[in-house]
Amino acid sequence: MTKEPSVKNEKEGLSRRQFLKNSGLVAGGVVGGSLFGGLLTKQFQKQPVVNNQKETANLQEARMFFSRKEDFEILSAATERIFPKNDNGPGAIELAVPFFIDKQLAGSWGINAKEYMKGPFIQTQQVQGNQDKQGPNTETQLPTPTARYQTRLNRGEIFILGLRKLDSVSQEKFGMKFVEAKGDQQDEVLHMFEENKVSLKGVDAKTFFSLLLQSTLEGAYADPLYGGNKDMMGWKMKEYPGPRMGYLGQIEEKEFIVMNQESLKDYQVHG
Amino acid sequence: MAEKLKKVDVVVVGTGWAGGIVSAELAKAGYKVVALERGGDRTREDYTGVKDELRFTDRYEMMQNLAPETITSRNTLEEIALPVRTRSEMMAGTNLGGGGVHWAGATYRFMPYDFEIYSKTVERYGKKKIPEGMTIQDWGITYQEFEKYYDRFEKTAGISGERDPFGEERSSDYPTPPMKESPAITLFKKASKELGYHPYQVPSGNLSEGYENPDGETINQCMFCSYCTQYGCDFGAKSDPMVTVIPTAKKTGNFEVRTESYVRRVLYEGGKAKGVMYVDTNTGIEYEQPADVVVLAAFSLTNNRLLMLSNIGRAYNPKTRKGVIGRNFNGQFNITFLGARGFFNDKKFNLYMGAGALGGALSDFAGDNFDHTNLDFINGGGIELRQYGDAAIASNHVPKGTPRWGAEFKEKSIFYTNRNLVVWYTPAIMPWWHNYLDLDPTYTDEFNDPLLRVTNKYTDQDRNIAKFGIEKTKGIVEQMGADIIDEDEVPQEFDHIYQGGHYAGGVVMGADPETSAVNNYLQMWDVENLFVVGGSAFPHFGGHHPTATIGALAYRASEGIEKYLKEGGQLVEEKRKSFQA
Ligand SMILES: Cc1cc2nc3c(=O)[nH]c(=O)nc-3n(C[C@H](O)[C@H](O)[C@H](O)COP(=O)(O)OP(=O)(O)OC[C@H]3O[C@@H](n4cnc5c(N)ncnc54)[C@H](O)[C@@H]3O)c2cc1C
Ligand code: SF4
């Protein structure tokens, strides 16, 4: 399905002329000297980015958040089941998704820096308080139609708790560590979390699973500056070009236009 | 003790469209204006070269920081409200320019029907059409009287558009021509026409060409760069307060804006507002800013909360259904923007290109444009196909029945990345006696002031209008030739996710002080030098995006404030009993 970068790239040249012509009407006084100016002159002079086939050493692929290697390995195995390598292309591990998640958890998202974290945490307490065989379960919570984020734990803490529970559930069910279990066994464990059939202390298993799912996809497709989407391979699979100045000349185009991938680094360097 | 500052003519809380317009108009008229903004200072450079999906779309870079303050939410009076804790559940703007900087730019007017909804509904269908408990009312001003303010806003913002064939009367055409049409929009319009509907191009605040507005501000031409909704514009091509009204206000020399200034109270004494109390969030120092006129333009949520924290106005009590502050909370989220998504097996669209307000729309099922005699709801909404331009994380749509993860998900999500289109309905939201705002009894902000509490549940009106919209949009997607069509499901109850920034009401306008907090200049009935500007004034939510109406109301309010500064007193004579419950 993925096509080679096609002749359609020529259209960028066309767009540039049009862009200059149109924006020249007004742009002068408003944007002078900004990155915009640099882009105008440089964006189309350089060659398309050609990715080196050789594996380039990536010094950022080290753990920043997870102290225990074992936790990180469970994370890697779980993300690979969520986003596996197949005919479409690389899976989560090859895309460096686990390193992406590790970095995210070490930062403001992982510590819930911009979320409201004041108590009381009524929902969790009620559920944990009268915990029955089913454990904390959105169905037994206050009558709200969705699981809401109502836990004292931040995302980093939820990941540690959840990953270790993946392992213990796997041990219980299959007598094996999560990373040693077979693919479909790992899936079975993950489904139990997704369906909230596992009980974690202080948070729903489902909440953990949602975070895991969300961050795995983010790691596959976010700008490579965050450490995932390695070599923009996620974007290549999707024929997503990456950030561009604009598509004034192409927006009306009827055919699908395939472009080479460019990252935010490419975009910013011209400033 | 708060440090007392020098008195000014007007103090404005908030620097979004509402606060920006009022500031510009009064500063132009020669009054000394100070605007206070809780968020940070921003310039165009903050949004240049930062096209980063994770940061803006997934981590909500431009949205309110919830650590110091959020809202709580519940469905019914009997429940304990819980805080809305994460930014994925709460979208409200902050920083200089407010939500106007990250908005998409779809710039619709509300309809003549909306402004006189009570009278017009009774006139056409009789009183029985309005169910018990639905608290609709006329707005205290007609569309015809209000039209010139829409025109003002559209000219300030340079809106690109064409006349809606079903459209309301306009005193002039849009200041700039409609946006270019992408093949997805062409397909939508063709299918709509085949079904006998009347499509047109979405009126857009992303401009089709460079434009100089009446204040002499320049807005550039949109590049369809796609990093638009939830982002600031890279090119000064999106109409926002930063490229229009804020520089206009600054040029006068009469305007000062103080960022990182969190307003906590309106100072109120002897029936008049004396100014506001705020905290410099860098130093923690408290200030009193005295002023002749106080303008709250801090978005509907804060507008309500500041009145409540300051004990101003008669609080709404849902049990007695009396009082006004907090009454008629309404908004478009969750049960609105439902529709149908089509998946195309042999068609690909350049969906990574786009602009916030790039799209096709139709008004055949908006307002009272269609007969409701045999329908189980009133009002209506727009139908839209928007091409925002999706980056790679947002474009993971798969047909229903596909697993949410694993190999099959991966394959289908990649295959359909550029092969799916969604058409949705933007229905009006009616107010009910049980949907309202007050202060939460438990949860507090960083200064230990109570949070605002939202009580909001759905009714049959909401579910029926949503169902109707899904049917209509499905018909269009079918006609567009989609191979797989997935209809949205109608949620049974509100899920407490405040998405999209369309929350309104609580300080509503009208002609009768029994059922409105402000008059048609947004001047408070109870406090003549206090003006409350924004969506907080909507008695109900019209079936379109709100910001043109907020902008127009801000122009109307500016006129009122100027009048008040010259003449003083109540600007409008009250009319009791415009509304029967
Ligand atoms: C993603 C998104 C897309 C949108 N797209 C559209 C669209 O296409 N069309 C449309 O019509 N509408 C759209 N909207 C809605 C639009 O953004 C709002 O209607 C509009 O911005 C409201 O303007 P305002 O001036 O009333 O409030 P705001 O722009 O929110 O401004 C209020 C300001 O007050 C400040 N403030 C709040 N509390 C305090 C306090 N206590 N002290 C000091 N300052 C305070 C805030 O920080 C903010 O800057 C969108 C919203 C979102 C979230
Ligand atoms: S799509 Fe247009 S208006 Fe939106 S950010 Fe890009 S250039 Fe600006």
Side-chain angles (χ1 to χ4, degrees), chain A residues 183-227:
Chain A
D184 46 4
Q185 291 173 324
Q186 290 174 331
D187 287 355
E188 208 178 313
V189 174
L190 288 168
H191 277 298
M192 287 172 66
F193 279 71
E194 185 177 18
E195 289 151 26
N196 222 12
K197 289 183 181 144
V198 171
S199 108
L200 295 179
K201 210 174 172 62
V203 67
D204 287 317
K206 196 168 148 182
T207 304
F208 161 65
F209 184 82
S210 301
L211 289 172
L212 178 67
L213 177 56
Q214 178 198 343
S215 54
T216 301
L217 290 179
E218 287 168 352
Y221 295 125
D223 194 281
L225 88 90
Y226 293 99

Side-chain angles (χ1 to χ4, degrees), chain B residues 13-19 36-39 63 69 91 93-95 97-100 102-107 229-230 261-264 297-299 302 306 386 500-502 533-535 545-548 550:
Chain B
V13 186
T15 59
W17 274 120
L36 301 168
E37 167 58 51
R38 71 175 165 200
M63 303 298 160
E69 185 205 332
M91 276 192 186
T94 189
N95 301 330
H102 68 239
W103 76 319
T107 313
T229 306
Q230 295 191 53
S261 299
Y262 181 73
V263 177
R264 293 184 53 205
F299 195 59
T302 298
L306 281 178
R386 299 268 284 272
H502 297 191
V533 185
H545 305 255
T547 306
I550 293 173

Side-chain angles (χ1 to χ4, degrees), chain A residues 19 22 120 218 226 238 240, chain B residues 52 59 221 223 227 395 443:
Chain A
F19 179 76
N22 295 325
E218 287 168 352
Y226 293 99
K238 280 200 155 190
Y240 180 70
Chain B
D52 177 345
R59 300 288 179 262
Q221 180 178 25
M223 295 293 120
Y227 288 82
S395 54
Y443 293 95

Side-chain angles (χ1 to χ4, degrees), chain B residues 521-534:
Chain B
Y521 284 106
L522 308 191
Q523 178 187 33
M524 274 193 79
W525 290 117
D526 298 353
V527 191
E528 63 182 39
N529 68 337
L530 180 53
F531 290 74
V532 188
V533 185

Side-chain angles (χ1 to χ4, degrees), chain B residues 206 222-228 233-235 237-238 354-355:
Chain B
N206 328 119
C222 170
M223 295 293 120
F224 301 93
C225 78
S226 83
Y227 288 82
C228 196
C233 179
D234 208 332
F235 307 117
K238 173 158 62 172

